[in-house]
Each structure stands twice: as C-alpha cells, then as structure tokens.
Amino acid sequence: MGWDGLKKFVFHRRKEMPDGLWMKCDSCGNLVHKKVVEEKLRACPECNFHFSLTSSERIALLLDEGNLEEYWGDLESIDPLKFSDRISYKKKTADAQEKTGLKDAFVVGKGRLGGIEVIFGVMDSRFIMASMGSVVGEKVTRAAEKAAELKIPLIIVSASGGARMQEGCFSLMQMAKTSAAMARLHESGGLYISILTNPTTAGVMASFAALGDIMIAEPKALIGFTGPRVIAQTIGQELPPGFQTSEFLLERGMIDRIIDRQHLKEELIKILEYCT
Amino acid sequence: MAQNDGLDFEAPIVELERKITELENFSNIAEVDLSEEIKKLHARANKLKGEIYKNLSPWQRVQLARHPKRPLTTDFINLMFTDFYELHGDRTFRDDKAIVSGFAKIDNHKVMIVGTRRGKTTRERIYCNFGSPHPEGYRKAMLKMKLAEKFHLPIIALINTPGAYPGIGAEERGQALVIARNLFEMSRLRTPIICVVIGEGGSGGALAIGIGDKFAMLENAYFSVISPEGCSAILWRDGSKAPDAAKALKLTAQDLIKLGIIDEIIPEPLGGAHRDSKKTADSFKKVLVRYLTELKGIPLDTLLENRYAKYRQMGQFLEQPAEAVKSLKHKQPINK
C-alpha cells in the first residue's frame, strides 16, 4: 500500500467511526464492529471480553419473557452521614437516579428461568459503580430471606466497586448483614447461585458475592479484593498478565465455572434442575 | 530521642513533661527542693492535656490509634489475661504472624483469643506484616474460633489492623472469599463473641474477625470502611485531604456509638492509651469480664437470634409505604 493507499485507508476508517458502527474493546483495545458485539450479546468478537449490561438488559437476557416481579423497588438512600467530598453524596445519588431511572444500584424480585421460580437480583454498575450502601445491603438481605421463606433458589448477578464509602461504616456493616443472611439461607437448605461480572471487587466480593453454593463468572471479568492499581502501588511492581481475571480465579480454584453470556441461561437452568 | 515518636498536637505536653523530668533530675543531683515548682508544672501539664484531648479531631484520633507507643494486642494479652497458650497455623498454607490466637484466662473465665498482631520494633513489624493478614491468617482465626465453638469457649477478638493485605499472594489465595467466609461463619458460631477495636479498624480486614455479640472500641480507636488516605485519594482525588476524609467518614468511636454501630466506648487515660497501658488495660478488663458474665447467661439460640438481629437492623434508608410490589416488563431483548 503506497502513501495514497494508506491515506485512503485511514481516511476511510476515520469516516466510518463517527457513524457509531465501530467501538474500541476496553480489554484488548481492538476496533470491533458494534453489530457483531451486539450479536454476541455484548462480548468482544476478538477477545471475548464481556461488556457491562444494565440491570434491565440482564433481566431481559436471563428471565423467562424478560419478566421480573420487582420487590422493594422504592428503597432509597437517605445519606446517613451527610457526606460530601467534592460533590455531595445527595447530588451523586440524584444524578445516578436520573441517569438510570433506578432508585439505587440493585434490582431484585421474583422471576422464572426455564419455568423454575427464583428470586433474582442484579447490580447495575451505572449507579455509583454499583457500590453497596444501606439500600443494596438491605435488598440483598431481604432477597436471601425471601428465598428462604418461599423455598426457592436465589440468583444474584454481581458487579460492584465494593462498599459505598459515602455511607461509612453503614456500608461496611452491610457486608456483615448480607453474609449473615446468606448463612441463614444456607441453613434453610436454599440454593444460592452467585454470578460474578466485570468488575466485582472489594466489599461486595468479600461478602455476599463470594458466598454462592455455585460460583460462576463471565469471561475476563475483574474479580478480587483490592483493586489492581492499589496492589501495584503497595508492592511497587507490575502485576502479572491476567491477574484477578475470571480465568485467574478458576485456575486457583476459587470459582466453579466461567460461562459465556450466550450460554448463561441454559447452564443456569441445568444447575437449577440439579439443585431443586 | 524517643520523643520523636510523639504527634504534632502532643508536642506541648511532651515538652512540658521533658522539663519536669529535667527538674526532678536536677533536684536529685543538686539536693535542692523544687517540689513546689514540679507540682505546679504537673498541674499545668494536666490542664494542657485536658484542653488538647477534650477536643480531638477525627484525624487526631486516627493518629492516636496509630501511635507507635500505643499498646498492642500482645500487650493487652499480657496485661489482662493469664495463662495465654498460643495456637498456630491454618492447616493449609502457613502460619500467618499477623494473626495471634490461643487459649487464655481472664478472671475465672476460660476464653479463646484471636487478634491481629503488630510489632513495636521495625523487625517485629515486618515479622507481623504490619498487622495486615493474608487469607491464611483469616483461616487460622476461623479454625481457632471453630475450636472455641466446639468446646464452648467464648471468643475475644482484639482488632488492630490497617486492613487485609493487598498483595499478589493474598489475591491468589482468595482474600475476598476468605473474608466473606469468616463473616458468614462468625454470624452463626454457637459461642459468645466479643470484639474490640483497640487501634485501627481497617475495613473488611478488621470486620473479618469482627462479627460478634458485643462490639466495643477503645476511646481513641477508629473503625472505617476505608482508610482516610484511601478515601481522600479516591473521592477528593488528592491524598492530602485525609483529615477531611476522616471527618466525613464518621470513623471515631464517638461517632459510631451515636450511629448505633458499636455498643460501648472503653475509656483511655487522659492523653491516650500509650500514656498508661496498665490503666487502659484495667478499665478494658472490667468491660470484658462484664460482657463475659452477661453473655454466658444467654441461651445459645437466643444469643444467635440477637446476633442476627443486631446486624440485620444496621443501615439507614427510606422506604415508601405505597405499593411494595410492582411488575416490571423488560420488553426489549438486548440482541435485537
């Protein structure tokens, strides 16, 4: 390709970009065709990184007829510490509510998978990184209690930056509360399937998200306790490639399976059929 | 000089105390009676302490909690318990020195102690990984707690950690999963559990041995979802705003008792625990013995119900009384 040819090629590509036909993969950096990404249910055709889904997209993907009978949808944060950094927590919450149409970062209710009734919860990372404050903690706890009461399985799709700093120790205590609720569900004989998606870290990964009877992850998700940047800073060296990914966790025996989004529903139904 | 360990806001007190010692030495050597002057200086030092320590900022409390001379878990074990009999290891990977555990007696109660361990000298600090446990440390703590459950020994957890260790090995061995497992198990251990934050209560790494029937803090300890430095770096995008973050996070014992997170504040002598470890341990011990006596009288089923209820009610939110259940149709499949 001569210079003219190259110029033409680059120009051609650049002309296509603004049309929104192409996107850059967050994981491998390749330019990928959006349509193909959508066909793969938002996965990169090059590296199979799974992009985030909103809570309603996740519900549409997994539940029969995309139907969720939502519970406790009106729970809202009341900013218990009157927290303010550069922006007040009140404003941050209000902005997130406007952007997402949700009251907080966790949507939960009753639905069916392959006809099997379940309590289904999903975190929405558009809402303050789906961090866990009082509302998320309360709803996860109620979900576990409801699953135990109705004697039906609990499925939670996690994606979270961790505890919500703006609620201080109230957030920290949600780790205790949700874990205690999972212990009760376990004692009642209930099934809990935890699905880890990109990213699931810190206080959420160190509580209810880690406590599934079955632990599933989507490919290439970031999963861990401390974020990679903080670890790199602490130890003063670069992290090995693939560190804290789903594949890393599977290799080290921390999770049961990695499942492609395209097969997630059918595999969940298979597990449900074994465990109910 | 050892005084270098002091904190900025302590400096006037330290200076005055240095003068008092000098005068005392001089009066001994020169055999002159300076007792009047010394008495006056003591009075002034006490007044100064009262002024400085009555209005500590949250950030100053954090600094006190981290004071290099502050009594540590091992000090409190020596000062409050007898017959400490250490037990090691997690039966899986290695003995994590950042956790100390073992049998002990306090008055006539036999108990199991689990605690985070830190050191005084640089060598000791490195040996204990600065009090930051790895997964094997949390597993070690859980094993000893299960042992305590089996033989009906109450558990006393002494917490002083900047947090769970953030490193490659810790992640490889499932730091998050191990912490979660401890929260899960501690919520249902069939024996009384008493937790006390004696210095730093660093987030999930502190909580991982901190679920119990009683949760107290020493007067100048802190307990937080994230370190003030970490919070300042993330939310203010400026590491130097730690004092602001400390204030906003409501991490002091005084804040947390108001918020209903902790049960009790254990008083420290004027000027902080490091000024009189023995005195601190005396009031601390009284609280522990009172808790042990109280909890022993509660049937185990009730104890566990109460423990669940205690954590169940934590959190503050708004709930509209209106329609609690509504149906949402999610009509658009994403691949269309």
Side-chain angles (χ1 to χ4, degrees):
Chain A
M1 200 188 297
W3 170 245
D4 278 348
L6 186 68
K7 209 167 81 182
K8 212 164 160 185
F9 174 75
V10 171
F11 187 65
H12 182 68
R13 288 286 288 260
R14 278 186 51 193
K15 221 173 90 185
E16 269 190 356
M17 290 273 289
D19 292 341
L21 289 174
W22 296 83
M23 60 184 283
K24 197 174 167 189
C25 171
D26 300 337
S27 179
C28 66
N30 280 318
L31 277 182
V32 289
H33 207 290
K34 266 192 180 170
K35 208 177 133 208
V36 183
V37 171
E38 292 298 319
E39 274 165 12
K40 283 182 61 92
L41 304 174
R42 295 262 168 84
C44 173
E46 297 288 332
C47 73
N48 202 28
F49 173 74
H50 282 42
F51 298 101
S52 294
L53 296 185
T54 66
S55 46
S56 45
E57 286 169 339
R58 186 66 71 175
I59 289 163
L61 175 75
L62 292 179
L63 295 184
D64 295 352
E65 286 100 48
N67 193 14
L68 179 82
E69 184 190 329
E70 193 185 359
Y71 294 155
W72 319 299
D74 50 5
L75 258 64
E76 258 185 281
S77 166
I78 55 163
D79 185 15
L81 304 188
K82 310 273 168 285
F83 195 98
S84 192
D85 46 87
R86 293 167 308 133
I87 314 158
S88 76
Y89 176 40
K90 264 211 157 71
K91 169 128 185 17
K92 227 173 249 183
T93 315
D95 288 351
Q97 286 179 338
E98 200 188 308
K99 189 171 81 184
T100 59
L102 303 170
K103 296 276 188 194
D104 211 301
F106 187 67
V107 178
V108 62
K110 197 167 68 175
R112 286 175 188 276
L113 267 95
I116 301 168
E117 202 164 59
V118 297
I119 298 294
F120 181 86
V122 50
M123 306 187 83
D124 197 312
S125 56
R126 296 171 303 163
F127 200 105
I128 319 184
M129 304 250 314
S131 53
M132 171 162 65
S134 299
V135 173
V136 172
E138 177 69 19
K139 287 171 87 170
V140 169
T141 302
R142 287 189 190 181
E145 289 173 343
K146 195 75 177 172
E149 179 201 323
L150 300 180
K151 298 195 185 311
I152 58 178
L154 171 67
I155 299 177
I156 293 179
V157 184
S158 290
S160 174
R164 190 171 290 172
M165 283 175 277
Q166 294 89 341
E167 291 189 27
C169 265
F170 283 117
S171 311
L172 189 61
M173 289 305 156
Q174 303 311 307
M175 293 172 66
K177 179 162 115 182
T178 55
S179 300
M182 291 309 167
R184 289 229 153 167
L185 174 62
H186 172 75
E187 281 173 359
S188 80
L191 168 68
Y192 167 35
I193 303 175
S194 175
I195 302 168
L196 311 172
T197 69
N198 186 58
T200 305
T201 59
V204 165
M205 191 56 207
S207 63
F208 69 89
L211 294 170
D213 295 298
I214 306 273
M215 300 280 293
I216 288 165
E218 286 195 331
K220 306 228 162 161
L222 172 74
I223 301 163
F225 181 61
T226 313
R229 236 180 326 142
V230 175
I231 297 177
Q233 262 171 25
T234 309
I235 61 173
Q237 64 188 74
E238 267 187 52
L239 301 173
F243 184 61
Q244 294 184 310
T245 57
S246 313
E247 293 72 17
F248 172 94
L249 264 83
L250 185 71
E251 186 58 33
R252 278 157 188 81
M254 303 297 163
I255 55 175
D256 288 289
R257 288 183 80 84
I258 295 173
I259 303 179
D260 266 22
R261 195 172 280 164
Q262 279 170 310
H263 306 296
L264 188 53
K265 183 167 182 177
E266 61 190 72
E267 290 203 27
L268 283 174
I269 293 169
K270 188 199 273 282
I271 296 167
L272 287 173
E273 283 168 352
Y274 269 102
C275 298
T276 46
Chain B
M1 294 245 302
Q3 315 293 25
N4 289 347
D5 286 343
L7 307 169
D8 286 352
F9 61 88
E10 282 186 321
I13 301 168
V14 173
E15 177 59 23
L16 212 52
E17 284 177 339
R18 195 180 53 81
K19 266 190 196 152
I20 293 170
T21 321
E22 259 177 35
L23 275 186
E24 278 169 348
N25 288 343
F26 179 74
S27 96
N28 283 341
I29 295 162
E31 291 183 18
V32 270
D33 184 17
L34 294 171
S35 56
E36 269 307 304
E37 282 78 359
I38 291 171
K39 221 170 126 188
K40 269 188 206 156
L41 281 180
H42 268 301
R44 237 176 84 194
N46 276 337
K47 197 171 159 238
L48 199 58
K49 273 192 220 168
E51 283 163 9
I52 291 177
Y53 287 96
K54 203 176 271 171
N55 295 307
L56 287 176
S57 72
W59 178 240
Q60 287 171 328
R61 298 249 190 226
V62 170
Q63 288 174 295
L64 273 181
R66 294 169 176 169
H67 198 288
K69 289 189 174 163
R70 191 172 174 83
L72 304 172
T73 300
T74 37
D75 296 317
F76 283 122
I77 292 176
N78 291 331
L79 289 166
M80 300 189 295
F81 297 86
T82 54
D83 210 13
F84 177 59
Y85 189 75
E86 189 171 2
L87 299 168
H88 296 275
D90 73 329
R91 308 278 194 281
T92 306
F93 187 71
R94 72 170 185 138
D95 184 42
D96 191 335
K97 307 295 190 290
I99 293 280
V100 58
S101 53
F103 300 124
K105 286 180 189 145
I106 180 166
D107 276 8
N108 51 355
H109 299 274
K110 287 187 269 182
V111 300
M112 173 67 79
I113 297 175
V114 295
T116 46
R117 172 162 49 193
R118 321 174 73 149
K120 290 243 159 88
T121 63
T122 306
R123 214 178 137 171
E124 282 170 11
R125 285 180 188 142
I126 293 168
Y127 180 75
C128 302
N129 198 33
F130 303 89
S132 284
H134 280 75
E136 50 271 24
Y138 293 117
R139 254 194 318 260
K140 170 181 173 180
M142 183 43 65
L143 265 177
K144 309 315 165 199
M145 290 193 274
K146 291 255 189 187
L147 180 69
E149 177 187 44
K150 188 169 175 185
F151 297 101
H152 315 294
L153 298 172
I155 295 161
I156 293 178
L158 302 177
I159 300 162
N160 181 13
T161 176
Y165 188 67
I168 292 180
E171 295 290 326
E172 280 177 336
R173 299 194 289 280
Q175 189 73 287
L177 290 104
V178 173
I179 292 172
R181 187 53 55 183
N182 274 21
L183 306 182
F184 181 98
E185 294 297 348
M186 284 187 94
S187 76
R188 63 190 192 131
L189 275 178
R190 295 181 66 80
T191 193
I193 308 173
I194 298 163
C195 310
V196 184
V197 185
I198 61 167
E200 293 192 88
S203 192
L207 195 65
I209 56 164
I211 308 288
D213 307 295
K214 294 285 181 187
F215 194 105
M217 285 172 76
L218 288 193
E219 188 181 336
N220 295 310
Y222 81 87
F223 185 38
S224 182
V225 65
I226 184 167
S227 72
E229 289 89 345
C231 182
S232 134
I234 296 171
L235 292 185
W236 277 264
R237 299 194 182 147
D238 176 356
S240 70
K241 295 279 193 243
D244 296 323
K247 187 163 175 247
L249 284 165
K250 303 269 189 287
L251 45 64
T252 64
Q254 296 69 27
D255 283 327
L256 292 171
I257 200 157
K258 275 185 225 147
L259 296 173
I261 304 270
I262 65 168
D263 297 309
E264 185 163 351
I265 300 174
I266 300 171
E268 295 180 24
L270 194 60
H274 62 286
R275 297 197 161 263
D276 195 339
S277 300
K278 180 75 184 54
K279 207 171 158 192
T280 312
D282 286 345
S283 51
F284 192 171
K285 184 175 171 179
K286 276 188 199 126
V287 174
L288 288 184
V289 171
R290 167 158 52 81
Y291 283 166
L292 285 167
T293 314
E294 181 189 330
L295 294 174
K296 270 196 172 170
I298 303 174
L300 280 179
D301 287 334
T302 316
L303 188 78
L304 289 199
E305 277 306 320
N306 294 349
R307 192 186 302 162
Y308 188 78
K310 173 187 168 82
Y311 289 96
R312 182 66 189 84
Q313 53 83 31
M314 282 190 192
Q316 289 188 4
F317 52 84
L318 183 73
E319 184 165 27
Q320 309 292 346
E323 19 138 30
V325 179
K326 59 187 168 188
S327 190
L328 271 187
K329 276 272 181 189
H330 294 267
K331 277 181 182 150
Q332 287 167 335
I334 51 165
N335 52 343
K336 272 269 167 98

